[in-house]
Every structure is written in structure tokens, then in C-alpha cells.
Amino acid sequence: QVELVESGGGLVQPGGSLRLSCAVSGSRFSMYAMGWYRQAPGKQRELVAAFTSGGTTNYADSVKGRFTISRDNAKNTVYLQMNSLKPEDTAVYYCNAGWRTLVYWGQGTQVTVSS
């Protein structure tokens, strides 16, 4: 069983920054398509940023230019650098790993942007 563990969430003021981390167990990390999703109260879970299996990146329009996804295959970790945070970025952020038909999710980490 693959385990994904997110960290780095918290409370931040508008305009601030946070970096989320997602550590992935197992030996196939470099093969996974990795992504970050978020779910705000009363809303559906949405894609924030992702690596495709081909290595390209996708971003939601709402975070382009502010968020950056990166990965360190040597550490089995994917990151989400979030800058210029806005109150509307408040949500639970989830890490996602996919390989062929297999999909894994982390437990989520809360990000709250408020003054």
C-alpha cells in the first residue's frame, strides 16, 4: 500500500506564502504522475497543480503565476510553493499520486488564508 503524507499547511495572512510537502512511500515515486488538489467547504475538489506522467505541468487558472509544483525523486517528495496567497485559496489541500489505473490520496492539510 502506498502512503502519502502531506505537511506544511497552516494559517497565513493574505499575501503570504506557504510550502506544502507530500512524502510518498514505496519505490515507484519517479513513475507517478503527481498532483495537488484542494477542497473548500461546500465546493467540489479541484485540481490545483499537477505533473503529468510525461513530466509536464498543469495549473488551475486561479493559481497560475502564484503557485509552483516541484518534485524531488531522490526524496520521494512533491512540493507546492504557494505565494501571494488569497482568502479564496483557503481549503484542505490533498496530494495525489497516479500510475496506470492506480490512484492514491493523502489525508489532506488545511490551508487558511485570513487576516
Side-chain angles (χ1 to χ4, degrees):
Q1 181 68 20
V2 176
E3 185 177 9
L4 283 66
V5 180
E6 300 104 333
S7 61
L11 173 64
V12 64
Q13 292 187 343
S17 298
L18 283 175
R19 188 176 82 154
L20 305 183
S21 300
C22 174
V24 181
S25 67
S27 60
R28 293 176 173 168
F29 177 78
S30 63
M31 302 170 67
Y32 294 140
M34 298 297 304
W36 288 95
Y37 290 71
R38 67 186 180 188
Q39 187 166 19
K43 294 188 177 181
Q44 290 187 332
R45 191 172 296 189
E46 63 175 359
L47 173 70
V48 176
F51 281 105
T52 67
S53 57
T56 58
T57 55
N58 293 320
Y59 292 93
D61 287 343
S62 59
V63 307
K64 283 181 180 177
R66 301 189 297 122
F67 291 11
T68 304
I69 188 171
S70 61
R71 66 191 295 166
D72 186 336
N73 288 344
K75 295 183 178 180
N76 279 23
T77 301
V78 63
Y79 304 97
L80 184 68
Q81 178 66 44
M82 305 186 295
N83 299 327
S84 302
L85 282 161
K86 304 175 181 180
E88 51 263 43
D89 294 318
T90 295
V92 178
Y93 283 70
Y94 297 91
C95 181
N96 168 279
W99 182 64
R100 296 184 178 177
T101 61
L102 301 174
V103 178
Y104 305 100
W105 290 93
Q107 81 287 352
T109 185
Q110 176 70 46
V111 171
T112 301
V113 184
S114 175
S115 55

